[in-house]
Amino acid sequence: EIVKNRRMFKGLPNVWYWIAPALVIHAVGASLYFILFSGGAVSGTIYTVVKIIMLVLPLLFVYFGNELPAFIGKKIFIKKVPYGVIVGIAMSVLILLAYIVFTYFGLLSKDVSDAVISKTTSFGLIQYYLPFAVFLSLAHSLFEEYYWRWFVFGGLRSSLSFNSAAIISSIGFSLHHFIILSSFVSWPIVVVLGTTVGVAGYFWCAMYERTKSVIPLWISHAFADAAIMLIGYFMIGLR
């Protein structure tokens, strides 16, 4: 449980020293490894360093005396896993329906597929797309919930209201998605899809606030990522 009676003088500044840079690390890293140095050894090195920082930062945050809410919580399999599955299926269906609608109205042209193929090729992933898709859907989704909801949202929640903490953390969560999306689609679509990611982040914050566990967030996030990777599979033409 979050300690609600933290002294403002002690809690707020100390939290922000950690959270302020945490909000932009992923976006800055994505602009480097995905845009500026796309593909190659430099890109891979930057990607690895960014992920290590994101992995270690929450642990250091706790080590130096800051508190975070429960990561797993109690009664996981009784209520929280089915909740995550139901929400995840709903999210994946909405994502696939959006893809169908966008394709039907010509908003996802051949240029988008070409850009997806170009990026996956430059990162050496096209021949390993299916294993990569499984890894991203299962492992990376948990990593993002660990960082964005448990650490960033949880850290902010110790000093801010739910809405403030959820909005700020969800903006940070969406930033690197804006950057990545800009490599594939036009900016009007980037704004729509990037904002949708931010809304999803806010929704996952609400799930975390309600369930006190990262588990249902991870499950629903995994379903959503699986749907996105399936769309990439169709675009690349690996059917």
Side-chain angles (χ1 to χ4, degrees), residues 128-141:
Y128 306 108
Y129 185 83
L130 291 180
F132 170 71
V134 172
F135 167 79
L136 190 140
S137 299
L138 294 179
H140 195 263
S141 59

Side-chain angles (χ1 to χ4, degrees), residues 70-80 211-213:
F71 184 76
I72 294 179
K74 300 177 181 179
K75 299 181 181 178
I76 305 169
F77 295 99
I78 297 175
K79 296 181 179 179
K80 298 174 184 179
T211 65
K212 310 300 183 187
S213 174

Side-chain angles (χ1 to χ4, degrees), residues 114-137:
D114 290 342
V116 172
I117 292 171
S118 176
K119 278 292 183 183
T120 52
T121 301
S122 68
F123 282 97
L125 295 173
I126 194 162
Q127 63 268 45
Y128 306 108
Y129 185 83
L130 291 180
F132 170 71
V134 172
F135 167 79
L136 190 140
S137 299

Side-chain angles (χ1 to χ4, degrees), residues 34 107-109 111-120 179-186 190 235:
F34 206 79
L107 298 175
L108 297 177
S109 64
D111 291 341
V112 178
S113 295
D114 290 342
V116 172
I117 292 171
S118 176
K119 278 292 183 183
T120 52
I179 294 168
I180 291 172
L181 286 165
S182 67
S183 292
F184 303 113
V185 294
S186 62
V190 169
M235 288 185 171

